[in-house]
Amino acid sequence: YARRSYEAPRGAVETALAQIWAELLGVERVGRHDHFFELGGHSLLAVQLSSRASDLGLNFSAADAFQAPVLKDLASKVGLEPQPSSAGVISVQATGSQPPLFFVPTGFGDCSYVVSLVKEMNVDCPVFALPWPTFDEARPLTLEAIADMVILAIKEIQPHGPYRFAGYSSGGILAYAIAQRLLALDDTVSFMAFIDVTLFANRSSMSPSLIVRNMVLERFESLNDETFEVLKRFAGQCSIAQLIEKAKRIGAIPPDRDLHDDILMSERTAQFHRALQSYQVPSLPIEIYQFYAMEPLISRRIPPDKASTGQEARSPMRGWDRVLSPEAITAVPIVGDHVTMMSVMENRKALARAISTPLTGVLEKDS
């Protein structure tokens, strides 16, 4: 079958559809420009596609797959079911007899990991993915202010606690800030799952702009050495927007792609990390589950900063024993590194099972 030039799926809907396509069609990966029928799809598989997507809250008919057979086009016709009037909150699992679980976006504003993870979880509760709120570019926000805005959306869905949260990577620190603000309102937080969330002792060792520049470079590690080095040298002397535009000029980004959203998300990511660096992490009367990656994350081309290779990054508690007692932290090892614990299916299934077990216990206790 024919394969088109690969570009990774973007956003939660495309990511969820790509995973279903890969499973139905028996291919290793699916890009956003791939064509369902050129990859071997047919009418019966289109019906199965519609059915499986419906299980995740993505509603479309088999006829839609014929009318929009390219992944990105089909994704534009459907959407994850949003909770009414809940400021863009995504309903990943709509049903359940127990109060909901809220996932917080990563430190790069990404919620797409939630869809594939929740698919493997076995919990009797609705599951929602919380978006980043709109940032005011003219006025730098604190992490507490961001948490307050997210809480407004949470309260529309669940007015009162006990609340349950999960967060991946540095986004988990936002989940902690949300818990801090809820506790100040005399609400309760009964479950906090950290997915490899490290609390660095020296979070100011790398500027937010440099963090985001490295994030952008990591997207292009598959480039040949010469092209990547050109991009890497340029990154040291330009803005994030200029780096993304340079990547497009040298062919690392498709020429017809509108860069506005990429640049905007990168700028918002830098703003989030500035808020993260200024956040004074308090000790809270909660227990956390730290699902930590067993293997170190090693980039072939981007040298790690000193903080990411420090003692906290090697500790199962990931540095949280500086603000919480060790007895309040349950560290659970997950196969893989910070990325592959989520991106590799078998690792993700193990992670889903590991989260489901204590969450089920909490749900039963709270009910």
Side-chain angles (χ1 to χ4, degrees):
Y1 49 78
R3 295 307 301 265
R4 306 186 180 205
S5 59
Y6 180 78
E7 182 182 352
R10 297 171 60 188
V13 176
E14 289 188 13
T15 300
L17 286 177
Q19 182 173 333
I20 299 172
W21 284 29
E23 293 171 358
L24 285 177
L25 302 173
V27 296
E28 183 177 354
R29 68 179 186 179
V30 174
R32 64 193 312 259
H33 300 293
D34 281 338
H35 190 291
F36 183 76
F37 298 102
E38 289 179 357
L39 294 182
H42 49 72
S43 58
L44 291 179
L45 285 178
V47 173
Q48 292 182 44
L49 169 64
S50 174
S51 175
R52 291 198 188 185
S54 179
D55 292 339
L56 294 179
L58 289 86
N59 297 313
F60 60 93
S61 66
D64 289 325
F66 283 90
Q67 295 167 3
V70 174
L71 183 79
K72 68 180 182 65
D73 296 333
L74 182 58
S76 70
K77 285 181 169 290
V78 300
L80 291 168
E81 295 176 348
Q83 184 77 5
S85 69
S86 58
V89 175
I90 297 170
S91 174
V92 182
Q93 179 169 298
T95 60
S97 64
Q98 302 296 326
L101 171 67
F102 294 95
F103 275 88
V104 176
T106 69
F108 299 118
D110 178 30
C111 282
S112 62
Y113 76 94
V114 182
V115 176
S116 53
L117 179 62
V118 172
K119 180 183 177 183
E120 308 297 342
M121 292 176 63
N122 181 23
V123 290
D124 182 25
C125 67
V127 180
F128 297 95
L130 299 166
W132 268 352
T134 301
F135 293 173
D136 183 354
E137 296 181 7
R139 179 175 58 88
L141 291 174
T142 64
L143 200 66
E144 293 92 337
I146 296 173
D148 287 343
M149 288 188 285
V150 175
I151 287 172
L152 293 176
I154 293 171
K155 288 283 189 178
E156 290 188 6
I157 296 169
Q158 184 185 356
H160 306 288
Y163 293 98
R164 305 167 184 90
F165 296 101
Y168 179 26
S169 191
S170 56
I173 302 177
L174 175 58
Y176 193 82
I178 292 170
Q180 174 192 354
R181 306 300 275 184
L182 286 170
L183 291 173
L185 297 172
D186 291 327
D187 275 312
T188 57
V189 176
S190 62
F191 184 76
M192 179 68 70
F194 284 171
I195 304 173
D196 210 42
V197 179
T198 301
L199 183 62
F200 293 113
N202 183 16
R203 285 174 290 152
S204 60
S205 63
M206 181 180 286
S207 73
S209 295
L210 185 55
I211 291 172
V212 178
R213 275 199 290 270
N214 283 349
M215 175 199 74
V216 173
L217 285 173
E218 285 171 0
R219 291 171 50 189
F220 306 119
E221 282 197 320
S222 60
L223 294 173
N224 63 61
D225 290 343
E226 182 179 353
T227 305
F228 185 83
E229 284 304 315
V230 169
L231 205 57
K232 186 177 177 181
R233 286 195 300 271
F234 187 74
Q237 56 192 19
C238 69
S239 68
I240 296 168
Q242 290 170 332
L243 175 60
I244 294 173
E245 290 164 353
K246 176 72 170 181
K248 183 176 181 178
R249 287 199 301 273
I250 66 175
I253 295 176
D256 59 345
R257 178 160 167 174
D258 185 350
L259 299 181
H260 176 268
D261 288 344
D262 298 82
I263 293 171
L264 180 61
M265 181 55 72
S266 297
E267 291 172 346
R268 294 180 70 193
T269 298
Q271 191 170 359
F272 175 80
H273 281 268
R274 281 192 287 273
L276 205 62
Q277 287 187 346
S278 63
Y279 178 54
Q280 299 298 312
V281 184
S283 178
L284 298 179
I286 64 172
E287 297 180 358
I288 66 171
Y289 288 86
Q290 176 72 267
F291 301 93
Y292 68 94
M294 296 173 64
E295 302 164 17
L297 178 62
I298 300 174
S299 173
R300 184 169 63 91
R301 287 170 157 171
I302 301 173
D305 63 292
K306 292 181 180 179
S308 66
T309 57
Q311 181 179 352
E312 301 91 349
R314 299 191 299 270
S315 165
M317 295 187 185
R318 293 296 194 259
W320 285 91
D321 49 330
R322 293 202 317 276
V323 295
L324 299 173
S325 70
E327 292 76 20
I329 305 170
T330 301
V332 182
I334 303 296
V335 174
D337 61 30
H338 186 72
V339 174
T340 60
M341 68 186 300
M342 189 71 72
S343 64
V344 174
M345 182 180 294
E346 288 307 311
N347 297 350
R348 185 171 63 248
K349 286 182 176 180
L351 173 61
R353 290 193 298 269
I355 296 174
S356 297
T357 299
L359 177 59
T360 298
V362 168
L363 292 173
E364 292 173 351
K365 181 180 178 181
D366 288 345
S367 62

